Amino acid sequence: MENCCDSIKSWILANKLLLNEDKTEVVLIGTQQKLKSFQFSNPTLTISDSDISISEKAKNLGVILDRSLSMDQHINNNVNIMYFELRRISQMRSFLPFNTLKIIVSALVLSRLDYCNSLLADVVSQNSQ
């Protein structure tokens, strides 16, 4: 796996990009059976001189991906953020007209809910099966 990571780093450098090893996260994605059968003697990967530990989740472009791609972590994070935003908006309720409050809710809450909606669309259909 370290050879694969070195190949990725070589590709990144060849395309004039920069790999920030301090912010790099590694997560193994698979079914529960595959993840249980895949054991590591050392749960870290070495890229250049940096050791990167394999984690349960990784964040990419604001989306939290977990090992089974269930999106539970991402959904819970969004619910917490939107609840916090709604509480802040409710504190302004007495100072703003209703139409302004609707615009603020749309801007702050619904924009976060719509972000990466295509990733969440298939999660509902898979979990209902």
Side-chain angles (χ1 to χ4, degrees):
M1 193 174 292
E2 289 177 2
N3 291 338
C4 181
C5 290
D6 287 335
S7 297
I8 292 170
K9 183 170 182 176
S10 298
W11 179 88
I12 287 172
L13 293 173
N15 287 288
K16 297 182 173 89
L17 300 171
L18 183 63
L19 177 66
N20 187 347
E21 284 112 359
D22 294 333
K23 292 184 178 181
T24 301
E25 296 176 296
V26 175
V27 62
L28 291 176
I29 296 173
T31 63
Q32 293 293 335
Q33 294 84 10
K34 288 288 185 185
L35 291 172
K36 286 179 184 176
S37 68
F38 196 71
Q39 297 295 324
F40 275 109
S41 58
N42 185 8
T44 61
L45 291 175
T46 303
I47 300 175
S48 299
D49 296 329
S50 300
D51 287 334
I52 301 168
S53 61
I54 297 172
S55 63
E56 297 287 320
K57 61 184 178 180
K59 191 172 193 178
N60 188 19
L61 298 174
V63 177
I64 301 172
L65 302 171
D66 58 6
R67 298 179 116 190
S68 62
L69 290 180
S70 67
M71 303 297 284
D72 288 341
Q73 299 271 339
H74 179 71
I75 293 168
N76 289 338
N77 185 51
N78 272 345
V79 166
N80 289 336
I81 290 170
M82 287 186 282
Y83 179 73
F84 175 74
E85 294 294 343
L86 285 173
R87 280 190 36 214
R88 287 179 57 200
I89 292 168
S90 72
Q91 294 171 347
M92 297 183 284
R93 187 175 51 199
S94 61
F95 303 109
L96 297 171
F98 184 72
N99 286 338
T100 305
L101 286 171
K102 286 191 330 188
I103 292 169
I104 292 173
V105 168
S106 296
L108 294 177
V109 176
L110 297 179
S111 63
R112 180 167 280 284
L113 188 61
D114 283 342
Y115 182 70
C116 293
N117 214 8
S118 60
L119 292 174
L120 297 172
D122 199 33
V123 171
V124 174
S125 64
Q126 287 180 2
N127 287 337
S128 64
Q129 292 176 353

